[in-house]
Amino acid sequence: MFMFVLLRLRYLIDSKMNRPKFSFGAIKFSPAEGKSEPKEESGSFGSFGSFGKKQSKNQKGPVAIESEATEDEELKRVESTMGFSGFGKSAKQFDLNEMIETARKTAKERTVSTTVDTSIKELSIAGSSKQPDPTPSAKGGKSDEEDDDEDDDLIGPPVPKPVSEGDSKTKLSSKDPDAGEDDLSDEEPEKPTDKIPQSHEVALTHGSKAVIALGVDPSGARLASGSVDYEVRFWDFAGMDSTLQSFRTLMPCENHPIKALQYSSTGDSLLVISGTAQAKVMDRDGFEVAECVKGDQYINDMSRTKGHTAALNSGCWHPKIRNEFLTCAQDSTCRLWEIEKPKQHKALMKPRSANGLKTVPTTCTYNRDGNLIACACQDGSIQMWDHRKAFVNTAKLLRDAHQKGTDTSCVAFSYLGHSLASRGCDNTLKIWDLRQFRKPLHVFEDLFSRYESTDCMFSPDDALILTGESVLKGQSTGRLLFFDAKTFEKSHEIEVGDSHVIRSVWHPKLNQLFVSCGNGIVKIYYDQNKSMRGAKLCVIKTRRKQKQMEAMVTQHILTPHALPLFRQDRAKTTRKIMEKARQDPVKSHRPDLPIKSGQGGRVASSGSTLSSYVIRTMGLSKRVEDDQDPREAILKYAKDAAENPYWISPAYAKTQPKTIFQGTGNDDDTEGGEPSAKKPKV
């Protein structure tokens, strides 16, 4: 019964909605007329009869369809049966045809707007002077009022408008109202020299001697500097304050100058190249990780020795393999090493001169992908080997790259890998193209280099080439020079100081310049807006005074029931004891200043020396002026001592010897008691 009531209630509610109603007519049989065919009555959609009360005999025609009044009566009857009145709000009515039409219009409008935006972007990229006007009449859109109504219906943020003539014309026309449309579209490009960070400068003091080795880790958090004073200093930018003090100083190779320092590609290891035959690998904190073995110097064939037999010249890490590094030495060999196997070299390369004899490599390096190894030799040649093949023959060889008999201090690859820069002690910087490795692209001359460690490098975008210049006789400042990699012209220079410029590193991540000088100073150049972290972290930190530890001075024994005479005070910390001492006028009295002269001091009344103080204290003599001349003080009493002898003359009166050579006033003597002149012998 209850289910029937609910179904009936659902039917009544649905009948209230604006839906097409299907009504059924009545099929009537009229026996009075004697016709066997039923008479069909018309309804809303054709009638089949009625479901309800039977038709009375006297009634003719079709059965009437249930009216609204009948439905209301039925609804009231159900409400009285259920025991409550009202069934809440009626269901919301939806017009499906209207909703479909609205969705169709919205889709058309969005398609039109997307087409207009795409055409605007294409025209702005092509540099057209005029943009099409997306008016409603031309594009089939609507008016502004209708567009505002559409924005209310859309959900989510609106589609961003493309940058067009509107904003750019407004900004540029305020500067130059007569500028043409072509000038508005072309912006002034940024020069390569604008990227040089040089607005601010920081100086790190390594020592008093030349800093010829410099290494910065890939993350830019730490810096290592090495000098000819045998020391390596570690600098931590995040831990330093404005005093710019290094956190560790080491002498890893005893009394040997540090020639090269470089962090590995991961930054966890530091390669140390010194004047010894053994390279060392240290961790970030300066603790030794590995040390290469030294070869047998009595073996002539270098391939049969396990390590270098002469002093090292240079070294570097592999850019991709974190455990491999390269060294070159005075024994005319270049060797590859692994950290796990420092007792045996991994591979060996033998540079040869034009006549087939040995030649000493002065510097060595990898290219950016690590597939090529290059070294410059004392015979002026640049020799390269392919890392993927056996190191028997050279992959690229160039004779007479620099002056024969001079040291080539640096060889640097560009970031793209097509160019090579070499810095020589013959006062030149040369640029080479590896695809045509025969003649230099350009030669920069008159670049004085005093040190064998003067290097060169490319900027992070390969637009500039930088190198340092030493101070010539008669000059006053060392310079860091920048050359354009395309036009080969000197585009900029930085006057570093009154000393030589040796090493220079342009860090690509920090965008900061690190320059080492011949006076023991490492200078860092950065830009407040273009640079990040690095030196910017430590220059703003102020030095904080270290707090002293508070400790109990004496051990305190708790005696709560002791007599007042034997009761001890509560234990106090050193800070409280110092605070109490400051309140005592005797303890807080400033000590007397040391005596600089004999007047106004503690012993000024008794003299400034210990002897005078003792004499005055004992009362043995009168006051003696310490500032007067002692000879004058003695001669002042000479006359008195001669007339009234008291101490010395009476003591020696009886034992005084008789004078022989002094004049006695006899006739033989001359006038005035003076002795006669000595007579010459006959």
Side-chain angles (χ1 to χ4, degrees):
M1 182 65 184
F2 183 72
M3 293 297 296
F4 175 77
V5 173
L6 290 178
L7 292 173
R8 185 64 178 171
L9 180 62
R10 178 66 181 271
Y11 170 75
L12 294 176
I13 293 174
D14 293 342
S15 64
K16 282 285 186 179
M17 299 175 64
N18 295 330
R19 294 181 179 178
K21 296 182 180 180
F22 297 91
S23 59
F24 303 92
I27 302 174
K28 181 182 178 184
F29 296 92
S30 54
E33 298 179 2
K35 297 181 180 179
S36 60
E37 295 180 3
K39 185 177 180 181
E40 186 178 357
E41 298 294 332
S42 62
S44 299
F45 294 94
S47 303
F48 298 94
S50 63
F51 301 92
K53 297 180 180 181
K54 294 182 179 181
Q55 185 181 8
S56 59
K57 296 180 179 181
N58 297 329
Q59 186 178 0
K60 296 182 179 180
V63 179
I65 302 173
E66 292 181 344
S67 62
E68 295 294 335
T70 307
E71 293 179 356
D72 294 340
E73 292 177 359
E74 187 69 22
L75 184 60
K76 291 180 181 179
R77 189 182 305 109
V78 173
E79 291 176 359
S80 61
T81 304
M82 297 294 293
F84 56 85
S85 62
F87 296 94
K89 297 181 179 179
S90 60
K92 188 176 181 180
Q93 300 179 3
F94 298 94
D95 192 351
L96 296 178
N97 297 329
E98 185 178 356
M99 292 173 63
I100 293 172
E101 187 66 24
T102 304
R104 186 182 295 108
K105 292 180 180 180
T106 305
K108 289 181 179 180
E109 292 166 0
R110 288 186 178 181
T111 304
V112 171
S113 61
T114 304
T115 306
V116 172
D117 294 341
T118 305
S119 61
I120 292 174
K121 290 180 181 180
E122 292 177 354
L123 291 174
S124 60
I125 292 173
S128 62
S129 59
K130 294 184 179 181
Q131 277 188 333
D133 187 12
T135 55
S137 60
K139 299 297 178 182
K142 294 186 178 182
S143 61
D144 296 339
E145 297 180 357
E146 294 178 356
D147 291 340
D148 295 338
D149 296 339
E150 293 171 4
D151 294 340
D152 297 338
D153 297 336
L154 296 177
I155 299 175
V159 179
K161 297 181 179 180
V163 178
S164 57
E165 294 176 337
D167 298 334
S168 59
K169 280 186 177 181
T170 304
K171 294 179 181 178
L172 295 177
S173 61
S174 60
K175 298 180 181 179
D176 189 5
D178 299 333
E181 294 179 354
D182 296 336
D183 297 334
L184 294 176
S185 60
D186 297 336
E187 295 182 359
E188 189 173 337
E190 185 179 8
K191 298 180 180 179
T193 55
D194 297 338
K195 300 179 182 180
I196 300 176
Q198 57 175 348
S199 62
H200 293 72
E201 175 185 338
V202 175
L204 306 178
T205 303
H206 176 94
S208 58
K209 296 185 178 180
V211 180
I212 59 176
L214 208 61
V216 188
D217 68 338
S219 63
R222 289 193 176 180
L223 167 70
S225 59
S227 175
V228 295
D229 59 359
Y230 324 131
E231 291 184 352
V232 175
R233 289 181 179 263
F234 292 87
W235 315 79
D236 187 6
F237 296 114
M240 281 195 304
D241 51 21
S242 57
T243 58
L244 303 176
Q245 299 292 328
S246 61
F247 74 91
R248 182 156 296 167
T249 303
L250 301 173
M251 293 180 64
C253 302
E254 297 179 354
N255 296 333
H256 293 278
I258 308 300
K259 294 186 177 181
L261 295 172
Q262 188 180 16
Y263 279 92
S264 61
S265 58
T266 55
D268 59 343
S269 301
L270 176 68
L271 177 63
V272 180
I273 303 296
S274 63
T276 63
Q278 298 172 271
K280 287 190 176 183
V281 178
M282 310 176 74
D283 61 2
R284 290 175 58 86
D285 297 326
F287 298 101
E288 184 176 326
V289 176
E291 182 180 13
C292 296
V293 69
K294 184 178 180 180
D296 190 351
Q297 58 186 351
Y298 297 103
I299 297 178
N300 191 21
D301 189 0
M302 290 293 103
S303 61
R304 296 184 179 276
T305 60
K306 298 181 179 179
H308 289 290
T309 59
L312 298 174
N313 289 331
S314 180
C316 61
W317 287 95
H318 193 284
K320 302 296 182 181
I321 305 174
R322 59 180 297 270
N323 293 331
E324 181 183 321
F325 59 93
L326 170 69
T327 58
C328 65
Q330 292 284 344
D331 58 359
S332 302
T333 61
C334 296
R335 300 176 190 261
L336 294 179
W337 302 84
E338 289 183 349
I339 297 179
E340 293 81 3
K341 300 177 182 178
K343 302 300 181 183
Q344 174 69 42
H345 63 260
K346 180 181 178 182
L348 176 69
M349 289 154 281
K350 297 180 180 180
R352 297 295 181 183
S353 59
N355 55 7
L357 299 179
K358 296 180 181 180
T359 180
V360 177
T362 57
T363 182
C364 58
T365 185
Y366 289 93
N367 64 344
R368 297 296 175 178
D369 56 2
N371 293 331
L372 204 61
I373 298 174
C375 75
C377 305
Q378 283 185 349
D379 63 342
S381 64
I382 297 178
Q383 305 182 22
M384 301 184 188
W385 292 269
D386 194 339
H387 188 272
R388 297 163 292 184
K389 300 179 182 179
F391 302 104
V392 178
N393 297 323
T394 57
K396 294 180 181 293
L397 177 61
L398 179 63
R399 302 289 181 184
D400 300 328
H402 285 271
Q403 185 178 349
K404 187 176 181 180
T406 60
D407 293 338
T408 303
S409 57
C410 181
V411 175
F413 286 90
S414 63
Y415 283 85
L416 293 178
H418 301 311
S419 301
L420 178 73
S422 60
R423 180 74 161 93
C425 292
D426 55 354
N427 302 337
T428 60
L429 171 66
K430 296 185 178 181
I431 311 299
W432 310 86
D433 190 353
L434 296 178
R435 295 165 292 188
Q436 297 178 355
F437 197 51
R438 293 182 180 179
K439 293 183 179 180
L441 297 177
H442 191 78
V443 179
F444 303 98
E445 298 180 348
D446 298 331
L447 302 177
F448 177 61
S449 175
R450 183 180 177 183
Y451 293 89
E452 298 177 357
S453 301
T454 305
D455 63 350
C456 61
M457 69 173 301
F458 286 84
S459 62
D461 57 354
D462 284 342
L464 298 174
I465 305 167
L466 61 150
T467 184
E469 185 182 22
S470 301
V471 180
L472 274 170
K473 187 176 180 180
Q475 295 181 354
S476 59
T477 58
R479 300 180 300 171
L480 183 65
L481 305 176
F482 296 84
F483 300 97
D484 197 315
K486 295 181 179 179
T487 61
F488 304 115
E489 296 179 356
K490 188 177 76 172
S491 56
H492 190 67
E493 69 176 31
I494 298 177
E495 294 185 356
V496 178
D498 55 352
S499 184
H500 313 285
V501 178
I502 305 174
R503 293 278 186 176
S504 57
V505 178
W506 190 335
H507 199 279
K509 186 174 182 180
L510 301 180
N511 194 22
Q512 297 180 9
L513 280 170
F514 299 87
V515 182
S516 65
C517 305
N519 55 1
I521 294 178
V522 179
K523 289 195 174 183
I524 305 175
Y525 294 90
Y526 66 94
D527 191 277
Q528 193 66 27
N529 300 323
K530 300 176 183 178
S531 302
M532 56 180 295
R533 299 179 68 82
K536 294 175 62 178
L537 298 176
C538 56
V539 294
I540 60 175
K541 290 184 180 179
T542 58
R543 186 175 181 84
R544 295 184 179 180
K545 187 177 180 181
Q546 296 181 354
K547 296 182 179 179
Q548 298 180 355
M549 290 183 58
E550 296 184 2
M552 307 300 291
V553 180
T554 58
Q555 186 177 5
H556 181 63
I557 301 175
L558 299 177
T559 55
H561 303 291
L563 297 174
L565 181 63
F566 305 102
R567 187 173 299 168
Q568 295 182 1
D569 295 335
R570 296 181 60 184
K572 299 179 180 179
T573 60
T574 54
R575 182 176 61 84
K576 291 185 177 181
I577 293 175
M578 292 178 61
E579 290 178 356
K580 188 175 181 180
R582 288 293 168 264
Q583 298 176 359
D584 190 353
V586 178
K587 294 182 179 180
S588 299
H589 179 68
R590 188 184 69 173
D592 295 332
L593 298 176
I595 299 173
K596 296 183 179 179
S597 63
Q599 302 294 332
R602 288 176 296 162
V603 294
S605 59
S606 301
S608 60
T609 62
L610 179 61
S611 60
S612 63
Y613 175 75
V614 173
I615 293 172
R616 294 288 182 238
T617 305
M618 295 176 65
L620 299 178
S621 63
K622 298 180 181 179
R623 178 181 177 84
V624 177
E625 297 293 339
D626 296 329
D627 296 336
Q628 65 181 355
D629 188 8
R631 184 175 181 276
E632 294 179 357
I634 294 174
L635 293 176
K636 184 171 59 174
Y637 300 100
K639 184 179 180 181
D640 190 14
E643 295 177 356
N644 300 317
Y646 181 76
W647 294 105
I648 299 175
S649 296
Y652 295 98
K654 296 181 180 180
T655 60
Q656 185 71 20
K658 193 173 183 180
T659 58
I660 298 174
F661 298 103
Q662 292 182 359
T664 57
N666 297 331
D667 296 336
D668 296 337
D669 299 333
T670 59
E671 295 180 358
E674 296 180 358
S676 59
K678 185 177 180 180
K679 296 179 181 181
K681 293 182 179 181
V682 180

